[in-house]
């Protein structure tokens, strides 16, 4: 893909040239408040000449769950949307790491606050997004003074665009205070998650992560890492409420998520985590996750959807 944007996107049942997908300016407004989305990655494997979409079905099942929770009509099945995504990544000839973003919004809702009317438009677009796994990226985090949204306010379980205002506020505060990123506590004062990622820590060789009722998104990466930690690294994993001070005394802390992948946190509120560098369990998980995503490690084949670029003539 050499252009500034990919050739195609998918909008309301049709794959079409990027330039053709336009709406009237008055549509901007309330439609985005209720919009829900997914963030999905595909990883390029140069030896296979193939791109693999990671846990596509799980992402699109969560997309469907988000649509249900915000009461949008579902005119397309999960299978139809999966097929559309595979074709889109293939036809855009992404021979690189890619971010795929399906978005569902209330059609014709630009002028109305009410939230009524359930007809949905769905847009799927793709863009290059290089992986930072194994590049040595680390972050310094600060506990945010902003509280994480909660289930009876704006449910974090829904991947709703509006939810991200909470994370933006936390990120802006973190930057103003000289941190790279923020960690949000929930209404109960327990650790929730980052602005766009879940959080894991290691204490005494045990992997610990806030449970799914701690005001977090039910992260697909989190689930994958719990599975691999148990099955492949033989680690004990605890999903439970996590105290803030546990982060200060943790041996290892990292963010996990589709965009965040695995990002080691090397200090929290200026308390050094471990020896201030990514710890051994984080590094083992990162290597395994990387190899599984790219199909270098054959395990978990059911998590990888090949897009079919290997069958096309190379460019
Ligand atoms: N929490 C939040 C708030 C997020 O935005 C994300 C990224 N989607 C995650 C957690 C991680 O979720 P996943 O692993 O499914 O990408």
């Amino acid at each position: 893909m050499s252009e500034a944007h990919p050739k195609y996107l998918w909008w309301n049942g049709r794959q079409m040239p990027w330039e053709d997908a336009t709406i009237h300016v008055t549509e901007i407004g309330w439609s985005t408040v209720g919009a829900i989305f997914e963030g999905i990655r595909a990883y390029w494997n140069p030896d296979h000449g193939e791109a693999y979409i990671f846990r596509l079905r799980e992402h699109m099942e969560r997309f469907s769950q988000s649509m249900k929770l915000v009461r949008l009509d579902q005119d397309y099945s999960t299978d139809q949307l999966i097929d559309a995504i595979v074709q889109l990544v293939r036809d855009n000839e992404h021979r690189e790491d890619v971010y795929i973003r399906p978005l569902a919004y209330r059609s014709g809702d630009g002028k109305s606050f009410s939230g009524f009317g359930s007809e949905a438009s769905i847009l799927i677009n793709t863009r290059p997004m290089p992986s930072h796994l194994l590049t040595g990226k680390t972050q310094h985090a600060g506990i945010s003074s902003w509280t994480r949204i909660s289930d009876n306010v704006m449910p974090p379980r829904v991947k709703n665009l509006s939810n991200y205002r909470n994370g933006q506020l936390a990120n802006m505060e973190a930057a103003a205070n000289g941190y790279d990123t923020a960690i949000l506590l929930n209404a109960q004062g327990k650790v929730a998650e980052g602005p766009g990622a879940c959080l894991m820590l290691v204490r005494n060789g045990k992997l610990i992560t806030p449970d799914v009722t701690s005001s977090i998104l039910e992260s697909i990466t989190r689930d994958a890492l719990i599975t691999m930690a148990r099955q492949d690294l033989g680690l004990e994993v605890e999903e439970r409420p996590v105290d803030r001070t546990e982060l200060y005394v943790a041996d290892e802390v990292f963010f996990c998520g589709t965009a965040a992948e695995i990002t080691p946190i090397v200090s929290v509120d200026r308390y050094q985590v471990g020896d201030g560098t990514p710890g051994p369990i984080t590094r083992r998980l990162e290597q395994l996750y990387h190899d599984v995503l790219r199909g270098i490690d054959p395990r978990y084949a059911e998590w990888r959807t090949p897009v079919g670029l290997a069958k096309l003539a190379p460019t």
Side-chain angles (χ1 to χ4, degrees):
M1 199 202 74
S2 54
E3 312 96 298
H5 60 73
K7 209 166 170 184
Y8 302 109
L9 53 69
W10 188 97
W11 195 25
N12 293 334
R14 254 188 343 118
Q15 185 171 301
M16 60 177 74
W18 178 279
E19 295 78 9
D20 293 356
T22 57
I23 55 166
H24 193 265
V25 68
T26 58
E27 292 272 316
I28 300 173
W30 295 109
S31 57
T32 51
V33 170
I36 62 94
F37 72 108
E38 268 306 314
I40 309 168
R41 275 195 194 247
Y43 287 88
W44 174 241
N45 182 320
D47 295 331
H48 298 185
E50 186 60 282
Y52 296 104
I53 306 176
F54 188 62
R55 304 199 72 178
L56 177 56
R57 178 162 297 279
E58 290 89 334
H59 278 284
M60 295 319 288
E61 281 168 358
R62 191 172 65 187
F63 188 74
S64 168
Q65 177 182 289
S66 289
M67 285 188 80
K68 176 179 180 180
L69 284 168
V70 299
R71 300 183 192 279
L72 284 175
D73 286 348
Q74 301 192 42
D75 296 329
Y76 305 96
S77 68
T78 296
D79 282 331
Q80 280 173 311
L81 294 174
I82 286 173
D83 289 347
I85 288 171
V86 171
Q87 188 183 343
L88 185 62
V89 177
R90 186 172 58 238
D91 290 355
N92 278 333
E93 300 199 39
H94 282 296
R95 292 182 168 82
E96 61 208 328
D97 295 344
V98 187
Y99 188 72
I100 305 156
R101 196 210 52 181
L103 174 82
Y105 60 97
R106 209 174 290 279
S107 309
D109 205 22
K111 296 177 232 47
S112 159
F113 156 76
S114 73
F116 293 118
S118 53
E119 200 179 309
S121 280
I122 295 182
L123 165 70
I124 305 169
N125 64 288
T126 62
R127 69 181 157 95
M129 186 190 265
S131 167
H132 62 251
L133 286 169
L134 308 179
T135 64
K137 179 182 173 175
T138 58
Q139 289 189 319
H140 297 272
I143 303 288
S144 185
S145 72
W146 297 98
T147 299
R148 183 70 183 137
I149 50 171
S150 56
D151 202 46
N152 286 326
V153 179
M154 293 176 68
R157 183 168 286 104
V158 184
K159 213 165 153 57
N160 181 192
L161 274 187
S162 300
N163 289 356
Y164 286 79
R165 188 62 189 145
N166 182 232
Q168 282 180 340
L169 289 168
N171 254 343
M172 289 188 292
E173 180 193 47
N177 291 335
Y179 298 111
D180 301 316
T181 189
I183 295 168
L184 290 119
L185 306 182
N186 62 26
Q188 290 71 42
K190 301 293 180 185
V191 175
E193 58 184 345
C198 280
L199 182 136
M200 296 193 167
L201 59 146
V202 177
R203 291 188 70 190
N204 304 321
K206 214 184 281 177
L207 192 66
I208 303 167
T209 191
D211 60 275
V212 292
T213 58
S214 285
S215 296
I216 67 167
L217 182 72
E218 291 178 344
S219 154
I220 291 160
T221 313
R222 173 186 176 282
D223 176 78
L225 295 181
I226 288 173
T227 304
M228 293 192 297
R230 284 192 176 127
Q231 289 190 7
D232 305 303
L233 305 189
L235 295 178
E236 197 179 321
V237 181
E238 276 181 11
E239 298 178 62
R240 60 163 175 80
V242 172
D243 278 339
R244 162 192 197 147
T245 49
E246 288 188 89
L247 300 178
Y248 299 159
V249 296
D251 303 317
E252 305 181 31
V253 179
F254 60 90
F255 275 152
C256 68
T258 298
E261 301 178 306
I262 290 176
T263 306
I265 304 294
V266 290
S267 76
V268 180
D269 286 347
R270 314 246 179 259
Y271 288 101
Q272 179 174 291
V273 176
D275 68 359
T277 63
I281 290 179
T282 309
R283 283 189 276 114
R284 280 171 72 202
L285 263 177
E286 184 179 355
Q287 184 71 54
L288 177 60
Y289 185 55
H290 169 271
D291 291 352
V292 165
L293 293 167
R294 290 202 194 282
I296 297 166
D297 188 319
R299 281 175 285 185
Y300 302 104
E302 67 280 10
W303 286 352
R304 292 184 294 272
T305 303
V307 302
L309 281 165
K311 293 192 205 111
L312 296 182
T315 52

